[in-house]
Amino acid sequence: MPSEWIARDDQTLALQGEWTLANYRAIKSTLDHYKADTKVPNEATKAAKETVSLEAITRLDTAGAILVIELIGVEKAQKVGEWAGELPKEQQALLMRIAEAMDTPLDVETPSYSRISQALASVGQQMVGLWSQQRQLLAFIGLVMATLFRLILRPRHWRVTATVAHVQQSGLNAVPIVALLTFMVGAVVAFLGATVLQDFGATVYTIDLVAFSFLREFGVLLAAILLAGRTASAFTAQIGAMKSNEEIDALQAQGLDPIELLVLPRVMAMLISLPMLAFVGMLSGLAGGAMVAALSLDISLTQFMNTLQKDVSVTHFLVGLSKAPVFAFVIAVIGCLEGFKVSGSAQSVGAHTTSSVVQSIFMVILIDALAALFFMEMGW
């Protein structure tokens, strides 16, 4: 059956012409006619038993190689170097490589694991990811601290304008929401204290409950959590957008330090803003408690202030306020670090923004718990 691509003479089958993708449909049709004429029922064609010559093939690509292998069989194609030495080495290698791929079974059995093994593997992966995340955070904290110490004695490099702008965005603009939230929480704590202490006839100690809780814990903790959700996410989104737009690469190409230009102003702004917001939160929480005491417990504002002055020392206020700079530094560093981790897509910006909020809130609560244990042991 002579054709443009196949020439057959008795027991010799010669393949010729350009066996390429451009001629794939025509060659495929010719092979179908050839198989029908020779009445071959399956892939083990008669060509696999005949003497095959590939010398006349002028061009061969992947598509043509697949057709050749379908014609002569996988086993014969794997040994093409033994019987088709006239074929160029590149084409021989192509035929053998595709034959090996076609001979590999597609149904690869996936190993089965028990649910316990899968659960342990998942826990292990999470722990490895957490360890890597904490190492990156510690390294970034060291980098920020080194840059900060380097710039302390170089006032010309201070970014005062950027710092003031971030103080306004992260501090002054957050005053209303912090004041409102802590006021309502103070009212709730006072209601709870009045309800519990009323059975013991000690409702007057509601004042102490509100004062201790807000001066030591709730004032700074609620302000820090609000800034973790409000400001850390903003830092991550801002730096992440700059990373996506390659603005950070442009800064580095100009010889500017991104830590000095982008991170330190945000860190300094948080160190200034959070103590002020914590102070506002303490006052608002006490105001909420005083309102509930006046409306529900018939405790006047004068009595509230006198009890507060008599029973609560300034140590509790200093203990609560001392945690604010630590919270501020951790929140700012995590927000900036997650921004630098953004890979370039909008999905990555959203994922790292969410991660910065979760990490910040977790670290704030963890540090607050450790600080509470420390101050309790110290008797402060």
Side-chain angles (χ1 to χ4, degrees), residues 15-19 54-60 91:
L15 307 185
Q16 59 191 11
E18 297 184 356
W19 286 60
L54 307 179
E55 183 177 1
I57 295 180
T58 57
R59 292 182 61 190
L60 182 69
Q91 296 181 1

Short mmCIF file of all heavy atoms in Angstrom, two decimals, residues 15-19 54-60 91:
data_model
loop_
_atom_site.label_atom_id
_atom_site.label_comp_id
_atom_site.label_asym_id
_atom_site.label_seq_id
_atom_site.Cartn_x
_atom_site.Cartn_y
_atom_site.Cartn_z
N LEU A 15 8.77 3.74 6.22
CA LEU A 15 8.13 4.98 6.60
C LEU A 15 8.93 6.14 6.02
O LEU A 15 10.17 6.13 6.10
CB LEU A 15 8.04 5.11 8.13
CG LEU A 15 7.41 3.93 8.86
CD1 LEU A 15 7.29 4.24 10.35
CD2 LEU A 15 6.05 3.59 8.28
N GLN A 16 8.24 7.11 5.47
CA GLN A 16 8.93 8.17 4.76
C GLN A 16 8.20 9.49 4.93
O GLN A 16 7.09 9.55 5.43
CB GLN A 16 9.00 7.81 3.27
CG GLN A 16 7.62 7.62 2.64
CD GLN A 16 7.68 7.01 1.25
OE1 GLN A 16 8.74 6.53 0.82
NE2 GLN A 16 6.56 7.02 0.55
N GLY A 17 8.90 10.56 4.56
CA GLY A 17 8.28 11.88 4.61
C GLY A 17 8.44 12.56 5.96
O GLY A 17 9.26 12.17 6.80
N GLU A 18 7.63 13.57 6.14
CA GLU A 18 7.68 14.37 7.37
C GLU A 18 6.58 13.91 8.33
O GLU A 18 5.39 14.17 8.12
CB GLU A 18 7.50 15.86 7.04
CG GLU A 18 8.61 16.42 6.18
CD GLU A 18 8.44 17.91 5.95
OE1 GLU A 18 7.41 18.48 6.41
OE2 GLU A 18 9.32 18.52 5.33
N TRP A 19 6.99 13.22 9.38
CA TRP A 19 6.05 12.74 10.40
C TRP A 19 6.02 13.81 11.51
O TRP A 19 6.67 13.68 12.56
CB TRP A 19 6.49 11.39 10.94
CG TRP A 19 6.24 10.28 9.94
CD1 TRP A 19 6.75 10.17 8.69
CD2 TRP A 19 5.40 9.14 10.14
NE1 TRP A 19 6.30 9.04 8.06
CE2 TRP A 19 5.45 8.38 8.93
CE3 TRP A 19 4.62 8.67 11.18
CZ2 TRP A 19 4.75 7.20 8.76
CZ3 TRP A 19 3.93 7.48 11.02
CH2 TRP A 19 3.98 6.77 9.83
N LEU A 54 13.07 3.10 8.77
CA LEU A 54 12.78 4.50 9.11
C LEU A 54 13.75 5.45 8.43
O LEU A 54 13.77 6.64 8.74
CB LEU A 54 12.86 4.69 10.64
CG LEU A 54 12.04 3.74 11.49
CD1 LEU A 54 12.25 4.05 12.98
CD2 LEU A 54 10.56 3.85 11.15
N GLU A 55 14.53 4.93 7.51
CA GLU A 55 15.59 5.73 6.90
C GLU A 55 15.04 6.91 6.11
O GLU A 55 15.66 7.97 6.02
CB GLU A 55 16.43 4.83 6.00
CG GLU A 55 17.62 5.53 5.35
CD GLU A 55 18.45 4.58 4.52
OE1 GLU A 55 18.07 3.39 4.45
OE2 GLU A 55 19.46 5.02 3.96
N ALA A 56 13.85 6.73 5.52
CA ALA A 56 13.30 7.76 4.63
C ALA A 56 12.55 8.86 5.38
O ALA A 56 12.03 9.78 4.75
CB ALA A 56 12.38 7.12 3.61
N ILE A 57 12.45 8.77 6.70
CA ILE A 57 11.79 9.83 7.46
C ILE A 57 12.70 11.05 7.48
O ILE A 57 13.84 11.00 7.95
CB ILE A 57 11.47 9.37 8.89
CG1 ILE A 57 10.43 8.24 8.87
CG2 ILE A 57 10.96 10.53 9.74
CD1 ILE A 57 10.06 7.72 10.24
N THR A 58 12.18 12.14 6.95
CA THR A 58 12.99 13.36 6.87
C THR A 58 12.86 14.22 8.13
O THR A 58 13.83 14.85 8.55
CB THR A 58 12.57 14.19 5.64
OG1 THR A 58 11.16 14.49 5.73
CG2 THR A 58 12.85 13.42 4.36
N ARG A 59 11.68 14.27 8.72
CA ARG A 59 11.46 15.04 9.94
C ARG A 59 10.57 14.23 10.88
O ARG A 59 9.67 13.51 10.44
CB ARG A 59 10.80 16.39 9.65
CG ARG A 59 11.69 17.38 8.89
CD ARG A 59 10.97 18.69 8.69
NE ARG A 59 10.64 19.29 9.99
CZ ARG A 59 9.83 20.35 10.10
NH1 ARG A 59 9.25 20.88 9.05
NH2 ARG A 59 9.59 20.85 11.30
N LEU A 60 10.83 14.38 12.18
CA LEU A 60 10.07 13.63 13.18
C LEU A 60 9.94 14.48 14.44
O LEU A 60 10.94 14.99 14.95
CB LEU A 60 10.77 12.31 13.51
CG LEU A 60 10.06 11.39 14.52
CD1 LEU A 60 8.79 10.83 13.91
CD2 LEU A 60 10.99 10.26 14.97
N GLN A 91 16.39 11.48 16.86
CA GLN A 91 15.09 10.85 16.61
C GLN A 91 14.98 9.50 17.30
O GLN A 91 13.91 9.11 17.77
CB GLN A 91 14.87 10.71 15.11
CG GLN A 91 14.80 12.06 14.39
CD GLN A 91 14.55 11.92 12.90
OE1 GLN A 91 14.42 10.81 12.38
NE2 GLN A 91 14.51 13.05 12.20
#
